[in-house]
Amino acid sequence: MSFVAVNAIKGAASNRDRSTFLKMLTAQMRNQDPLNPVDSSDYAVQLATFSSVEQQVLTNELLTSVQGQLNTMGISQLAGWVGMQAKSESPAHFSGDPIQISTAPAGLADSVQIVVRDQAGAEVYRQAIGTGASSLEWGGINTTGARVQDGLYTFRTESFANGASLGEQPASTYGQVIEARTGSDGLVLVLNGGATVPASDVTALRAPS
């Protein structure tokens, strides 16, 4: 394939300018050496290559456009979530009001404890609770009964059977949605206090009380 035709393919495909490519191909045919003409199969290869590259460019542009539309549609739909309270396993922000917690301990547990940790991962509260799935409130106190500082806290249950730990299970809390945005993981919600959660991880939504 000639240098002229190759550059025409690249330039024309990127600009979707079939006319430019055809004009340059025609010029190449007119200016070829009559004693050593270009084989017709070479022209066929050039045309096929141009068509393939052009189609790939158009396909990529279409996929980019579709992805943008999907992201915009998602953001538009999630805009109605801003101001609502979303239920997830992300950290919850304590600022004085009790935090509602939904637990789901291990099924074989004969005793269960709720465990609260601060943003640094330090345990601040632990209390025995029922063995079944339940809903309870944490009033923002530590193990000594003193009020904790405002901030983000995570909640988990630790299940036991015959005194042996069965591990920890995540607990869910509600957090107010203050922003909806797209990120590397897709659609993401930002909750009060700065915690983020993928929209797909939200299990319930309610109006603020």
Side-chain angles (χ1 to χ4, degrees), residues 89-106:
E89 295 175 355
S90 66
H93 186 258
F94 174 76
S95 57
D97 296 327
I99 295 177
Q100 183 178 347
I101 310 166
S102 297
T103 65

Side-chain angles (χ1 to χ4, degrees), residues 59-189:
T59 299
N60 291 341
E61 290 179 352
L62 178 60
L63 290 175
T64 300
S65 175
V66 170
Q67 184 63 46
Q69 291 176 8
L70 289 176
N71 288 338
T72 301
M73 183 182 299
I75 287 293
S76 176
Q77 293 174 338
L78 290 180
W81 291 26
V82 175
M84 302 289 284
Q85 292 184 341
K87 184 179 182 181
S88 68
E89 295 175 355
S90 66
H93 186 258
F94 174 76
S95 57
D97 296 327
I99 295 177
Q100 183 178 347
I101 310 166
S102 297
T103 65
L108 299 177
D110 55 29
S111 65
V112 178
Q113 297 175 357
I114 184 70
V115 183
V116 182
R117 294 185 175 90
D118 62 19
Q119 196 166 359
E123 183 177 311
V124 298
Y125 183 76
R126 181 182 287 263
Q127 177 67 44
I129 61 173
T131 56
S134 61
S135 178
L136 56 109
E137 285 189 344
W138 176 64
I141 60 173
N142 59 23
T143 304
T144 65
R147 184 186 185 279
V148 300
Q149 295 182 343
D150 292 358
L152 290 173
Y153 293 86
T154 57
F155 304 86
R156 301 180 71 86
T157 55
E158 185 171 9
S159 302
F160 298 86
N162 298 320
S165 176
L166 300 177
E168 294 187 354
Q169 301 78 41
S172 299
T173 59
Y174 280 95
Q176 187 170 16
V177 180
I178 61 174
E179 183 182 354
R181 67 189 183 199
T182 57
S184 58
D185 296 327
L187 297 170
V188 176
L189 301 178

